[in-house]
Amino acid sequence: KEKTDIKRGEYTKLSLIPVTETVSGVTTQGLHYALDDAVMYQTANLGISNVFAGSQATVDIKEGILCVVCEID
């Protein structure tokens, strides 16, 4: 189980991209489109271009590898 806190800073968007075929137990906080114990697949675009809802976001996963990409507009 892994938990990561991301400070917004100058970032406006955050994308979650599965590196493994599936990533399970994905829960996010502090993002406009929250996930709660979701399963993410490499073949779907569920985590692309989410928006920070505050000064920090948290991404928590139970199994798999997830790439977090922060974007500046």
Side-chain angles (χ1 to χ4, degrees):
K1 185 174 179 174
E2 294 288 328
K3 181 177 179 180
T4 301
D5 294 322
I6 302 121
K7 293 191 185 300
R8 178 179 180 168
E10 60 188 72
Y11 302 121
T12 53
K13 295 179 187 170
L14 180 144
S15 293
L16 305 175
I17 303 167
V19 175
T20 51
E21 189 174 330
T22 61
V23 180
S24 62
V26 182
T27 300
T28 61
Q29 295 177 331
L31 296 172
H32 185 71
Y33 302 103
L35 297 174
D36 184 20
D37 202 29
V39 177
M40 296 181 71
Y41 302 93
Q42 281 183 329
T43 56
N45 61 358
L46 180 63
I48 302 300
S49 293
N50 207 332
V51 180
F52 281 88
S55 62
Q56 179 173 301
T58 301
V59 179
D60 190 8
I61 66 171
K62 291 181 182 168
E63 188 173 337
I65 300 172
L66 195 62
C67 177
V68 178
V69 178
C70 295
E71 305 171 46
I72 300 172
D73 278 340

Short mmCIF file of all heavy atoms in Angstrom, two decimals:
data_model
loop_
_atom_site.label_atom_id
_atom_site.label_comp_id
_atom_site.label_asym_id
_atom_site.label_seq_id
_atom_site.Cartn_x
_atom_site.Cartn_y
_atom_site.Cartn_z
N LYS A 1 0.85 -1.18 0.00
CA LYS A 1 0.00 0.00 0.00
C LYS A 1 0.89 1.23 0.00
O LYS A 1 1.81 1.34 0.80
CB LYS A 1 -0.92 -0.03 1.21
CG LYS A 1 -1.91 1.08 1.24
CD LYS A 1 -2.89 0.90 2.38
CE LYS A 1 -3.84 2.07 2.37
NZ LYS A 1 -4.90 1.95 3.33
N GLU A 2 0.61 2.15 -0.89
CA GLU A 2 1.40 3.37 -1.02
C GLU A 2 0.51 4.60 -0.97
O GLU A 2 -0.57 4.62 -1.55
CB GLU A 2 2.16 3.38 -2.35
CG GLU A 2 3.21 2.31 -2.47
CD GLU A 2 4.43 2.57 -1.60
OE1 GLU A 2 4.78 3.75 -1.38
OE2 GLU A 2 5.02 1.60 -1.14
N LYS A 3 0.99 5.63 -0.29
CA LYS A 3 0.25 6.89 -0.20
C LYS A 3 1.21 8.02 -0.54
O LYS A 3 2.33 8.06 -0.04
CB LYS A 3 -0.31 7.07 1.21
CG LYS A 3 -1.11 8.33 1.40
CD LYS A 3 -1.67 8.37 2.81
CE LYS A 3 -2.45 9.64 3.04
NZ LYS A 3 -3.00 9.68 4.40
N THR A 4 0.76 8.94 -1.40
CA THR A 4 1.60 10.05 -1.82
C THR A 4 0.82 11.36 -1.69
O THR A 4 -0.32 11.44 -2.13
CB THR A 4 2.04 9.88 -3.30
OG1 THR A 4 2.75 8.65 -3.41
CG2 THR A 4 2.92 11.01 -3.75
N ASP A 5 1.46 12.35 -1.09
CA ASP A 5 0.88 13.69 -1.00
C ASP A 5 1.57 14.56 -2.05
O ASP A 5 2.79 14.55 -2.17
CB ASP A 5 1.10 14.29 0.39
CG ASP A 5 0.33 13.54 1.47
OD1 ASP A 5 -0.80 13.12 1.20
OD2 ASP A 5 0.88 13.38 2.57
N ILE A 6 0.78 15.32 -2.80
CA ILE A 6 1.30 16.19 -3.85
C ILE A 6 0.86 17.62 -3.56
O ILE A 6 -0.34 17.90 -3.49
CB ILE A 6 0.79 15.76 -5.24
CG1 ILE A 6 1.19 14.31 -5.51
CG2 ILE A 6 1.34 16.66 -6.33
CD1 ILE A 6 0.05 13.41 -5.76
N LYS A 7 1.81 18.50 -3.39
CA LYS A 7 1.49 19.91 -3.17
C LYS A 7 1.18 20.57 -4.51
O LYS A 7 1.89 20.36 -5.49
CB LYS A 7 2.64 20.62 -2.49
CG LYS A 7 2.87 20.12 -1.07
CD LYS A 7 3.83 21.01 -0.33
CE LYS A 7 4.17 20.48 1.04
NZ LYS A 7 3.08 20.32 1.93
N ARG A 8 0.13 21.37 -4.53
CA ARG A 8 -0.32 21.99 -5.77
C ARG A 8 0.74 22.93 -6.35
O ARG A 8 1.05 22.86 -7.53
CB ARG A 8 -1.63 22.74 -5.56
CG ARG A 8 -2.10 23.42 -6.81
CD ARG A 8 -3.40 24.13 -6.59
NE ARG A 8 -3.81 24.78 -7.83
CZ ARG A 8 -4.98 25.27 -8.03
NH1 ARG A 8 -5.89 25.23 -7.08
NH2 ARG A 8 -5.28 25.85 -9.17
N GLY A 9 1.25 23.84 -5.54
CA GLY A 9 2.22 24.80 -6.04
C GLY A 9 1.68 25.50 -7.27
O GLY A 9 0.58 26.04 -7.26
N GLU A 10 2.43 25.48 -8.36
CA GLU A 10 1.99 26.12 -9.60
C GLU A 10 1.26 25.15 -10.54
O GLU A 10 0.84 25.53 -11.62
CB GLU A 10 3.18 26.75 -10.32
CG GLU A 10 4.27 25.77 -10.70
CD GLU A 10 5.51 26.47 -11.23
OE1 GLU A 10 6.22 27.10 -10.43
OE2 GLU A 10 5.76 26.36 -12.43
N TYR A 11 1.11 23.90 -10.11
CA TYR A 11 0.40 22.91 -10.94
C TYR A 11 -1.10 23.19 -10.94
O TYR A 11 -1.68 23.63 -9.95
CB TYR A 11 0.63 21.49 -10.43
CG TYR A 11 2.08 21.09 -10.39
CD1 TYR A 11 2.67 20.72 -9.21
CD2 TYR A 11 2.86 21.11 -11.54
CE1 TYR A 11 4.00 20.35 -9.15
CE2 TYR A 11 4.20 20.75 -11.50
CZ TYR A 11 4.75 20.37 -10.30
OH TYR A 11 6.08 20.02 -10.25
N THR A 12 -1.73 22.92 -12.06
CA THR A 12 -3.18 23.09 -12.17
C THR A 12 -3.90 21.77 -12.35
O THR A 12 -5.03 21.62 -11.92
CB THR A 12 -3.53 24.01 -13.35
OG1 THR A 12 -2.91 23.49 -14.53
CG2 THR A 12 -3.06 25.43 -13.10
N LYS A 13 -3.24 20.81 -12.99
CA LYS A 13 -3.86 19.51 -13.26
C LYS A 13 -2.93 18.39 -12.84
O LYS A 13 -1.72 18.57 -12.73
CB LYS A 13 -4.17 19.37 -14.75
CG LYS A 13 -5.20 20.33 -15.25
CD LYS A 13 -5.42 20.13 -16.73
CE LYS A 13 -6.35 21.21 -17.28
NZ LYS A 13 -6.39 21.17 -18.74
N LEU A 14 -3.54 17.24 -12.64
CA LEU A 14 -2.80 16.05 -12.24
C LEU A 14 -3.39 14.87 -12.99
O LEU A 14 -4.62 14.72 -13.05
CB LEU A 14 -2.95 15.88 -10.73
CG LEU A 14 -2.25 14.70 -10.08
CD1 LEU A 14 -1.75 15.14 -8.71
CD2 LEU A 14 -3.18 13.54 -9.93
N SER A 15 -2.54 14.05 -13.59
CA SER A 15 -3.00 12.85 -14.29
C SER A 15 -2.41 11.62 -13.62
O SER A 15 -1.26 11.62 -13.19
CB SER A 15 -2.57 12.88 -15.76
OG SER A 15 -3.24 13.91 -16.46
N LEU A 16 -3.23 10.58 -13.51
CA LEU A 16 -2.81 9.30 -12.94
C LEU A 16 -2.80 8.28 -14.07
O LEU A 16 -3.83 8.01 -14.68
CB LEU A 16 -3.79 8.88 -11.85
CG LEU A 16 -4.01 9.89 -10.72
CD1 LEU A 16 -5.09 9.39 -9.77
CD2 LEU A 16 -2.71 10.14 -9.97
N ILE A 17 -1.63 7.70 -14.34
CA ILE A 17 -1.47 6.78 -15.45
C ILE A 17 -0.96 5.44 -14.94
O ILE A 17 0.14 5.36 -14.38
CB ILE A 17 -0.48 7.37 -16.48
CG1 ILE A 17 -0.97 8.74 -16.95
CG2 ILE A 17 -0.28 6.41 -17.65
CD1 ILE A 17 0.05 9.54 -17.71
N PRO A 18 -1.75 4.38 -15.11
CA PRO A 18 -1.32 3.05 -14.67
C PRO A 18 -0.09 2.58 -15.46
O PRO A 18 -0.08 2.62 -16.68
CB PRO A 18 -2.52 2.15 -14.96
CG PRO A 18 -3.68 3.08 -15.04
CD PRO A 18 -3.13 4.35 -15.61
N VAL A 19 0.94 2.15 -14.74
CA VAL A 19 2.13 1.57 -15.37
C VAL A 19 1.95 0.06 -15.50
O VAL A 19 2.32 -0.52 -16.51
CB VAL A 19 3.40 1.91 -14.55
CG1 VAL A 19 4.63 1.22 -15.11
CG2 VAL A 19 3.61 3.42 -14.50
N THR A 20 1.36 -0.56 -14.48
CA THR A 20 1.01 -1.97 -14.56
C THR A 20 -0.36 -2.09 -15.23
O THR A 20 -1.10 -1.12 -15.35
CB THR A 20 0.96 -2.60 -13.16
OG1 THR A 20 0.14 -1.79 -12.30
CG2 THR A 20 2.35 -2.70 -12.55
N GLU A 21 -0.70 -3.29 -15.70
CA GLU A 21 -1.96 -3.50 -16.41
C GLU A 21 -3.16 -2.99 -15.62
O GLU A 21 -4.07 -2.37 -16.18
CB GLU A 21 -2.13 -4.98 -16.75
CG GLU A 21 -3.28 -5.26 -17.66
CD GLU A 21 -3.33 -6.71 -18.10
OE1 GLU A 21 -2.29 -7.36 -18.19
OE2 GLU A 21 -4.47 -7.20 -18.32
N THR A 22 -3.16 -3.24 -14.32
CA THR A 22 -4.20 -2.72 -13.45
C THR A 22 -3.57 -2.14 -12.19
O THR A 22 -2.50 -2.57 -11.76
CB THR A 22 -5.23 -3.80 -13.01
OG1 THR A 22 -4.54 -4.82 -12.29
CG2 THR A 22 -5.96 -4.39 -14.20
N VAL A 23 -4.24 -1.16 -11.62
CA VAL A 23 -3.86 -0.60 -10.32
C VAL A 23 -5.14 -0.61 -9.49
O VAL A 23 -6.15 -0.05 -9.89
CB VAL A 23 -3.31 0.84 -10.45
CG1 VAL A 23 -2.93 1.39 -9.09
CG2 VAL A 23 -2.11 0.88 -11.39
N SER A 24 -5.09 -1.28 -8.35
CA SER A 24 -6.31 -1.43 -7.56
C SER A 24 -6.25 -0.63 -6.27
O SER A 24 -5.18 -0.28 -5.78
CB SER A 24 -6.56 -2.91 -7.24
OG SER A 24 -5.51 -3.43 -6.47
N GLY A 25 -7.43 -0.33 -5.76
CA GLY A 25 -7.55 0.39 -4.50
C GLY A 25 -7.11 1.84 -4.60
O GLY A 25 -6.55 2.39 -3.66
N VAL A 26 -7.39 2.47 -5.74
CA VAL A 26 -6.98 3.87 -5.94
C VAL A 26 -7.99 4.79 -5.27
O VAL A 26 -9.17 4.80 -5.61
CB VAL A 26 -6.85 4.21 -7.44
CG1 VAL A 26 -6.39 5.65 -7.60
CG2 VAL A 26 -5.92 3.24 -8.14
N THR A 27 -7.51 5.57 -4.31
CA THR A 27 -8.34 6.54 -3.61
C THR A 27 -7.63 7.88 -3.67
O THR A 27 -6.43 7.96 -3.41
CB THR A 27 -8.56 6.12 -2.15
OG1 THR A 27 -9.22 4.84 -2.14
CG2 THR A 27 -9.41 7.13 -1.40
N THR A 28 -8.36 8.92 -4.06
CA THR A 28 -7.77 10.25 -4.12
C THR A 28 -8.54 11.22 -3.23
O THR A 28 -9.74 11.05 -3.02
CB THR A 28 -7.74 10.80 -5.56
OG1 THR A 28 -9.09 10.92 -6.04
CG2 THR A 28 -6.95 9.91 -6.49
N GLN A 29 -7.84 12.22 -2.75
CA GLN A 29 -8.44 13.31 -1.98
C GLN A 29 -7.84 14.60 -2.48
O GLN A 29 -6.67 14.63 -2.91
CB GLN A 29 -8.17 13.15 -0.49
CG GLN A 29 -8.82 11.93 0.12
CD GLN A 29 -8.46 11.79 1.58
OE1 GLN A 29 -7.39 12.20 2.01
NE2 GLN A 29 -9.35 11.19 2.35
N GLY A 30 -8.60 15.69 -2.45
CA GLY A 30 -8.09 16.99 -2.85
C GLY A 30 -8.12 17.23 -4.35
O GLY A 30 -7.49 18.15 -4.83
N LEU A 31 -8.84 16.38 -5.07
CA LEU A 31 -9.00 16.54 -6.51
C LEU A 31 -10.48 16.74 -6.84
O LEU A 31 -11.35 16.25 -6.12
CB LEU A 31 -8.46 15.32 -7.27
CG LEU A 31 -6.96 15.07 -7.14
CD1 LEU A 31 -6.59 13.73 -7.76
CD2 LEU A 31 -6.17 16.20 -7.78
N HIS A 32 -10.75 17.44 -7.91
CA HIS A 32 -12.13 17.72 -8.31
C HIS A 32 -12.92 16.43 -8.56
O HIS A 32 -14.06 16.30 -8.14
CB HIS A 32 -12.15 18.61 -9.55
CG HIS A 32 -13.51 19.06 -9.95
ND1 HIS A 32 -14.23 19.98 -9.22
CD2 HIS A 32 -14.29 18.71 -11.00
CE1 HIS A 32 -15.40 20.17 -9.81
NE2 HIS A 32 -15.46 19.42 -10.88
N TYR A 33 -12.30 15.47 -9.24
CA TYR A 33 -12.93 14.18 -9.51
C TYR A 33 -12.27 13.13 -8.63
O TYR A 33 -11.19 12.64 -8.94
CB TYR A 33 -12.81 13.80 -10.99
CG TYR A 33 -13.41 14.83 -11.90
CD1 TYR A 33 -12.62 15.71 -12.60
CD2 TYR A 33 -14.80 14.93 -12.03
CE1 TYR A 33 -13.19 16.68 -13.44
CE2 TYR A 33 -15.37 15.90 -12.85
CZ TYR A 33 -14.55 16.76 -13.55
OH TYR A 33 -15.10 17.72 -14.36
N ALA A 34 -12.91 12.83 -7.52
CA ALA A 34 -12.34 11.90 -6.54
C ALA A 34 -12.55 10.45 -6.96
O ALA A 34 -13.53 10.11 -7.62
CB ALA A 34 -12.97 12.14 -5.18
N LEU A 35 -11.61 9.60 -6.56
CA LEU A 35 -11.74 8.15 -6.74
C LEU A 35 -11.78 7.53 -5.35
O LEU A 35 -11.07 7.97 -4.45
CB LEU A 35 -10.55 7.60 -7.53
CG LEU A 35 -10.39 8.10 -8.96
CD1 LEU A 35 -9.09 7.56 -9.55
CD2 LEU A 35 -11.57 7.68 -9.81
N ASP A 36 -12.58 6.48 -5.21
CA ASP A 36 -12.70 5.80 -3.93
C ASP A 36 -12.57 4.29 -4.14
O ASP A 36 -13.50 3.65 -4.63
CB ASP A 36 -14.05 6.13 -3.26
CG ASP A 36 -14.17 5.52 -1.88
OD1 ASP A 36 -13.14 5.17 -1.28
OD2 ASP A 36 -15.31 5.40 -1.40
N ASP A 37 -11.41 3.76 -3.83
CA ASP A 37 -11.11 2.33 -3.97
C ASP A 37 -11.35 1.85 -5.41
O ASP A 37 -11.86 0.76 -5.63
CB ASP A 37 -11.94 1.53 -2.96
CG ASP A 37 -11.34 0.16 -2.67
OD1 ASP A 37 -10.10 0.03 -2.77
OD2 ASP A 37 -12.09 -0.77 -2.36
N ALA A 38 -10.97 2.67 -6.38
CA ALA A 38 -11.20 2.36 -7.79
C ALA A 38 -10.13 1.41 -8.34
O ALA A 38 -9.03 1.29 -7.78
CB ALA A 38 -11.19 3.65 -8.61
N VAL A 39 -10.47 0.75 -9.42
CA VAL A 39 -9.51 -0.04 -10.18
C VAL A 39 -9.25 0.71 -11.48
O VAL A 39 -10.19 1.08 -12.19
CB VAL A 39 -10.04 -1.46 -10.49
CG1 VAL A 39 -9.05 -2.23 -11.35
CG2 VAL A 39 -10.34 -2.22 -9.20
N MET A 40 -7.98 0.96 -11.76
CA MET A 40 -7.61 1.67 -12.98
C MET A 40 -6.92 0.70 -13.93
O MET A 40 -6.16 -0.18 -13.49
CB MET A 40 -6.69 2.85 -12.66
CG MET A 40 -7.36 3.90 -11.80
SD MET A 40 -6.29 5.32 -11.46
CE MET A 40 -6.24 6.07 -13.08
N TYR A 41 -7.18 0.86 -15.22
CA TYR A 41 -6.62 -0.01 -16.25
C TYR A 41 -5.80 0.82 -17.23
O TYR A 41 -6.14 1.96 -17.53
CB TYR A 41 -7.76 -0.70 -17.02
CG TYR A 41 -8.66 -1.52 -16.14
CD1 TYR A 41 -9.82 -0.97 -15.59
CD2 TYR A 41 -8.36 -2.84 -15.83
CE1 TYR A 41 -10.66 -1.71 -14.77
CE2 TYR A 41 -9.19 -3.59 -15.01
CZ TYR A 41 -10.33 -3.02 -14.48
OH TYR A 41 -11.16 -3.76 -13.67
N GLN A 42 -4.74 0.21 -17.77
CA GLN A 42 -3.91 0.90 -18.76
C GLN A 42 -4.72 1.29 -20.00
O GLN A 42 -4.41 2.26 -20.65
CB GLN A 42 -2.76 0.00 -19.22
CG GLN A 42 -1.61 -0.04 -18.26
CD GLN A 42 -0.47 -0.88 -18.80
OE1 GLN A 42 -0.67 -1.84 -19.53
NE2 GLN A 42 0.74 -0.53 -18.42
N THR A 43 -5.75 0.54 -20.31
CA THR A 43 -6.53 0.76 -21.53
C THR A 43 -7.62 1.81 -21.37
O THR A 43 -8.31 2.13 -22.33
CB THR A 43 -7.17 -0.56 -21.99
OG1 THR A 43 -7.96 -1.08 -20.91
CG2 THR A 43 -6.10 -1.57 -22.38
N ALA A 44 -7.79 2.38 -20.19
CA ALA A 44 -8.84 3.38 -19.96
C ALA A 44 -8.19 4.70 -19.55
O ALA A 44 -7.06 4.74 -19.10
CB ALA A 44 -9.79 2.90 -18.87
N ASN A 45 -8.93 5.80 -19.70
CA ASN A 45 -8.36 7.11 -19.37
C ASN A 45 -9.03 7.74 -18.15
O ASN A 45 -9.23 8.94 -18.08
CB ASN A 45 -8.46 8.04 -20.58
CG ASN A 45 -9.89 8.27 -21.02
OD1 ASN A 45 -10.82 7.72 -20.46
ND2 ASN A 45 -10.08 9.09 -22.04
N LEU A 46 -9.33 6.94 -17.16
CA LEU A 46 -10.04 7.38 -15.96
C LEU A 46 -9.32 8.50 -15.21
O LEU A 46 -9.95 9.41 -14.68
CB LEU A 46 -10.26 6.19 -15.03
CG LEU A 46 -10.98 6.44 -13.72
CD1 LEU A 46 -12.40 6.92 -13.98
CD2 LEU A 46 -10.99 5.19 -12.87
N GLY A 47 -8.00 8.50 -15.17
CA GLY A 47 -7.28 9.44 -14.32
C GLY A 47 -6.64 10.61 -15.04
O GLY A 47 -5.76 11.27 -14.47
N ILE A 48 -7.05 10.91 -16.26
CA ILE A 48 -6.38 11.94 -17.05
C ILE A 48 -6.95 13.33 -16.76
O ILE A 48 -8.17 13.53 -16.72
CB ILE A 48 -6.49 11.63 -18.56
CG1 ILE A 48 -5.89 10.26 -18.87
CG2 ILE A 48 -5.83 12.71 -19.41
CD1 ILE A 48 -4.43 10.11 -18.52
N SER A 49 -6.07 14.30 -16.57
CA SER A 49 -6.40 15.73 -16.43
C SER A 49 -7.40 16.04 -15.32
O SER A 49 -8.39 16.73 -15.55
CB SER A 49 -6.90 16.31 -17.77
OG SER A 49 -5.86 16.31 -18.70
N ASN A 50 -7.14 15.55 -14.14
CA ASN A 50 -7.94 15.92 -12.98
C ASN A 50 -7.47 17.29 -12.49
O ASN A 50 -6.36 17.71 -12.79
CB ASN A 50 -7.81 14.87 -11.88
CG ASN A 50 -9.01 14.78 -10.99
OD1 ASN A 50 -9.73 15.76 -10.80
ND2 ASN A 50 -9.24 13.62 -10.41
N VAL A 51 -8.29 17.98 -11.73
CA VAL A 51 -8.01 19.34 -11.29
C VAL A 51 -7.86 19.38 -9.77
O VAL A 51 -8.65 18.78 -9.05
CB VAL A 51 -9.15 20.29 -11.73
CG1 VAL A 51 -8.88 21.71 -11.29
CG2 VAL A 51 -9.34 20.22 -13.25
N PHE A 52 -6.84 20.09 -9.30
CA PHE A 52 -6.67 20.26 -7.85
C PHE A 52 -7.86 21.03 -7.28
O PHE A 52 -8.28 22.03 -7.83
CB PHE A 52 -5.39 21.05 -7.55
CG PHE A 52 -4.12 20.24 -7.64
CD1 PHE A 52 -3.45 20.10 -8.84
CD2 PHE A 52 -3.60 19.63 -6.51
CE1 PHE A 52 -2.27 19.37 -8.93
CE2 PHE A 52 -2.42 18.90 -6.58
CZ PHE A 52 -1.76 18.77 -7.79
N ALA A 53 -8.38 20.55 -6.15
CA ALA A 53 -9.49 21.22 -5.49
C ALA A 53 -8.98 22.13 -4.36
O ALA A 53 -9.73 22.95 -3.86
CB ALA A 53 -10.47 20.20 -4.93
N GLY A 54 -7.74 21.97 -3.98
CA GLY A 54 -7.16 22.77 -2.90
C GLY A 54 -5.66 22.85 -3.07
O GLY A 54 -5.14 22.71 -4.16
N SER A 55 -4.96 23.03 -1.96
CA SER A 55 -3.51 23.23 -2.02
C SER A 55 -2.72 21.93 -2.06
O SER A 55 -1.50 21.94 -2.27
CB SER A 55 -3.06 24.05 -0.82
OG SER A 55 -3.33 23.36 0.38
N GLN A 56 -3.40 20.79 -1.86
CA GLN A 56 -2.71 19.50 -1.83
C GLN A 56 -3.66 18.39 -2.26
O GLN A 56 -4.86 18.46 -2.02
CB GLN A 56 -2.21 19.23 -0.42
CG GLN A 56 -1.50 17.90 -0.25
CD GLN A 56 -0.88 17.77 1.13
OE1 GLN A 56 -0.05 18.58 1.52
NE2 GLN A 56 -1.29 16.76 1.86
N ALA A 57 -3.10 17.38 -2.89
CA ALA A 57 -3.86 16.19 -3.25
C ALA A 57 -3.16 14.97 -2.65
O ALA A 57 -1.95 14.98 -2.44
CB ALA A 57 -3.97 16.03 -4.76
N THR A 58 -3.94 13.93 -2.37
CA THR A 58 -3.41 12.68 -1.85
C THR A 58 -3.85 11.56 -2.77
O THR A 58 -5.01 11.48 -3.16
CB THR A 58 -3.92 12.41 -0.42
OG1 THR A 58 -3.52 13.49 0.41
CG2 THR A 58 -3.36 11.12 0.14
N VAL A 59 -2.89 10.69 -3.11
CA VAL A 59 -3.18 9.52 -3.93
C VAL A 59 -2.74 8.30 -3.14
O VAL A 59 -1.60 8.21 -2.70
CB VAL A 59 -2.42 9.57 -5.28
CG1 VAL A 59 -2.73 8.33 -6.11
CG2 VAL A 59 -2.78 10.83 -6.06
N ASP A 60 -3.68 7.37 -2.96
CA ASP A 60 -3.44 6.17 -2.18
C ASP A 60 -3.77 4.97 -3.05
O ASP A 60 -4.83 4.94 -3.68
CB ASP A 60 -4.35 6.21 -0.94
CG ASP A 60 -4.03 5.14 0.08
OD1 ASP A 60 -3.02 4.44 -0.08
OD2 ASP A 60 -4.81 5.01 1.04
N ILE A 61 -2.85 3.99 -3.16
CA ILE A 61 -3.13 2.78 -3.94
C ILE A 61 -2.82 1.55 -3.09
O ILE A 61 -1.98 1.59 -2.20
CB ILE A 61 -2.34 2.73 -5.26
CG1 ILE A 61 -0.84 2.61 -5.02
CG2 ILE A 61 -2.64 3.94 -6.13
CD1 ILE A 61 -0.04 2.33 -6.28
N LYS A 62 -3.51 0.45 -3.40
CA LYS A 62 -3.29 -0.80 -2.68
C LYS A 62 -2.36 -1.73 -3.44
O LYS A 62 -1.53 -2.40 -2.86
CB LYS A 62 -4.62 -1.50 -2.40
CG LYS A 62 -5.47 -0.77 -1.39
CD LYS A 62 -6.76 -1.50 -1.12
CE LYS A 62 -7.61 -0.71 -0.13
NZ LYS A 62 -8.97 -1.23 -0.06
N GLU A 63 -2.50 -1.78 -4.77
CA GLU A 63 -1.68 -2.70 -5.54
C GLU A 63 -1.46 -2.18 -6.95
O GLU A 63 -2.38 -1.65 -7.57
CB GLU A 63 -2.37 -4.07 -5.62
CG GLU A 63 -1.52 -5.15 -6.24
CD GLU A 63 -2.18 -6.52 -6.15
OE1 GLU A 63 -3.03 -6.73 -5.26
OE2 GLU A 63 -1.83 -7.35 -6.98
N GLY A 64 -0.23 -2.31 -7.44
CA GLY A 64 0.11 -1.88 -8.78
C GLY A 64 1.05 -0.70 -8.75
O GLY A 64 1.50 -0.25 -7.68
N ILE A 65 1.37 -0.18 -9.94
CA ILE A 65 2.26 0.98 -10.06
C ILE A 65 1.52 2.06 -10.85
O ILE A 65 1.01 1.80 -11.93
CB ILE A 65 3.56 0.60 -10.78
CG1 ILE A 65 4.30 -0.50 -9.98
CG2 ILE A 65 4.46 1.82 -10.93
CD1 ILE A 65 5.49 -1.07 -10.71
N LEU A 66 1.51 3.25 -10.28
CA LEU A 66 0.79 4.37 -10.87
C LEU A 66 1.77 5.52 -11.08
O LEU A 66 2.53 5.87 -10.16
CB LEU A 66 -0.31 4.79 -9.90
CG LEU A 66 -1.42 5.70 -10.39
CD1 LEU A 66 -2.21 5.03 -11.51
CD2 LEU A 66 -2.36 6.03 -9.25
N CYS A 67 1.77 6.10 -12.25
CA CYS A 67 2.59 7.27 -12.56
C CYS A 67 1.73 8.51 -12.33
O CYS A 67 0.61 8.61 -12.82
CB CYS A 67 3.06 7.20 -14.01
SG CYS A 67 4.01 8.64 -14.54
N VAL A 68 2.26 9.47 -11.58
CA VAL A 68 1.57 10.72 -11.32
C VAL A 68 2.25 11.83 -12.13
O VAL A 68 3.45 12.05 -11.97
CB VAL A 68 1.59 11.07 -9.81
CG1 VAL A 68 0.91 12.41 -9.57
CG2 VAL A 68 0.94 9.96 -9.00
N VAL A 69 1.48 12.48 -12.99
CA VAL A 69 2.02 13.56 -13.83
C VAL A 69 1.32 14.85 -13.46
O VAL A 69 0.09 14.93 -13.54
CB VAL A 69 1.81 13.25 -15.33
CG1 VAL A 69 2.32 14.39 -16.19
CG2 VAL A 69 2.46 11.93 -15.71
N CYS A 70 2.10 15.85 -13.04
CA CYS A 70 1.54 17.16 -12.69
C CYS A 70 1.74 18.10 -13.88
O CYS A 70 2.81 18.12 -14.48
CB CYS A 70 2.21 17.71 -11.45
SG CYS A 70 1.90 16.72 -9.99
N GLU A 71 0.70 18.89 -14.19
CA GLU A 71 0.73 19.76 -15.36
C GLU A 71 0.60 21.23 -14.95
O GLU A 71 -0.07 21.55 -13.99
CB GLU A 71 -0.44 19.42 -16.28
CG GLU A 71 -0.50 17.97 -16.71
CD GLU A 71 -1.77 17.64 -17.44
OE1 GLU A 71 -2.16 18.41 -18.34
OE2 GLU A 71 -2.40 16.62 -17.11
N ILE A 72 1.25 22.08 -15.73
CA ILE A 72 1.14 23.52 -15.56
C ILE A 72 0.47 24.07 -16.82
O ILE A 72 0.91 23.78 -17.93
CB ILE A 72 2.51 24.19 -15.40
CG1 ILE A 72 3.22 23.62 -14.17
CG2 ILE A 72 2.38 25.69 -15.29
CD1 ILE A 72 4.66 24.07 -14.05
N ASP A 73 -0.60 24.85 -16.65
CA ASP A 73 -1.25 25.46 -17.81
C ASP A 73 -0.49 26.65 -18.31
O ASP A 73 0.16 27.35 -17.62
CB ASP A 73 -2.69 25.91 -17.46
CG ASP A 73 -3.65 24.74 -17.54
OD1 ASP A 73 -3.34 23.73 -18.19
OD2 ASP A 73 -4.74 24.86 -16.94
#
